[in-house]
Amino acid sequence: MTNSTQPIPSFRVGMGYDVHKLVEGRDLYLGGIKIKHSLGLLGHSDADVLIHAICDALLGAANMRDIGYHFPDTSADTLDMDSKIILRKTIDLLSTKGYRVGNIDATVCAERPKINPHIPAMCKCLADIIGCDVDAVSIKATTSERMGFVGREEGMAAYAVCLIVKG
């Protein structure tokens, strides 16, 4: 039973997950940066799996549905959209409810290419878009030990959790 007299907490957490297929003929974007690789992620936008997971975490924390609701893959407006724009618009949506990002912790699951060398650039890019300190953005990388669709290099996945704060 909900008590409408209870105040909404000044901080909230959210969780996001995204997956995209790896294909030839597409550039690979992760965390807002282009990474040299023989395959890219397939999607309606640029398919930046990391940014998409982060946006879902942020939107979920604010109880604002999900990325597909705000940026549908059936819309011509979002076709080939740079995911950095999606993240910026997500931050703007959060601000309409008075929230800002406290911190983000995300993990990219991929066999190749190696993600670790790109993490500092991704953290800086995301922090710049969000308008937060780079220390508030944590990105980690892992493989799936050659198991499943990630292990077979058919796709990549990303997980993200976030804390958003009022004010």
Side-chain angles (χ1 to χ4, degrees):
M1 190 165 124
T2 303
N3 182 349
S4 62
T5 62
Q6 293 288 328
I8 295 174
S10 61
F11 58 90
R12 298 173 67 143
V13 296
M15 182 267 186
Y17 169 76
D18 196 39
V19 60
H20 283 281
K21 184 177 181 177
L22 281 164
V23 296
E24 293 181 359
R26 293 269 300 194
D27 290 327
L28 176 61
Y29 290 95
L30 286 174
I33 66 166
K34 186 175 176 181
I35 296 175
K36 188 174 171 76
H37 190 50
S38 59
L39 302 172
L41 293 168
L42 181 63
H44 186 73
S45 66
D46 66 8
D48 188 323
V49 71
L50 177 57
I51 287 181
H52 294 182
I54 290 169
C55 288
D56 264 349
L58 293 167
L59 291 165
N63 194 19
M64 297 181 83
R65 306 216 27 192
D66 60 30
I67 192 173
Y69 177 79
H70 294 281
F71 309 98
D73 65 4
T74 55
S75 170
D77 292 340
T78 57
L79 182 62
D80 297 324
M81 182 179 271
D82 184 330
S83 291
K84 293 186 296 288
I85 295 169
I86 294 172
L87 179 57
R88 180 71 248 162
K89 289 182 176 194
T90 298
I91 296 302
D92 292 344
L93 284 168
L94 292 182
S95 71
T96 67
K97 288 183 105 174
Y99 288 107
R100 64 177 172 77
V101 172
N103 76 298
I104 293 168
D105 184 26
T107 302
V108 176
C109 301
E111 295 297 323
R112 291 183 313 118
K114 291 296 181 192
I115 306 300
N116 277 317
H118 306 285
I119 288 175
M122 289 189 286
C123 288
K124 181 179 180 339
C125 178
L126 296 174
D128 288 347
I129 296 164
I130 294 166
C132 67
D133 189 281
V134 72
D135 193 47
V137 180
S138 169
I139 300 170
K140 301 171 304 299
T142 191
T143 68
S144 66
E145 301 292 331
R146 313 268 319 123
M147 296 182 293
F149 75 90
V150 171
R152 291 187 300 273
E153 298 184 43
E154 295 170 1
M156 289 185 185
Y159 301 85
V161 293
C162 69
L163 174 75
I164 61 173
V165 182
K166 277 274 188 185

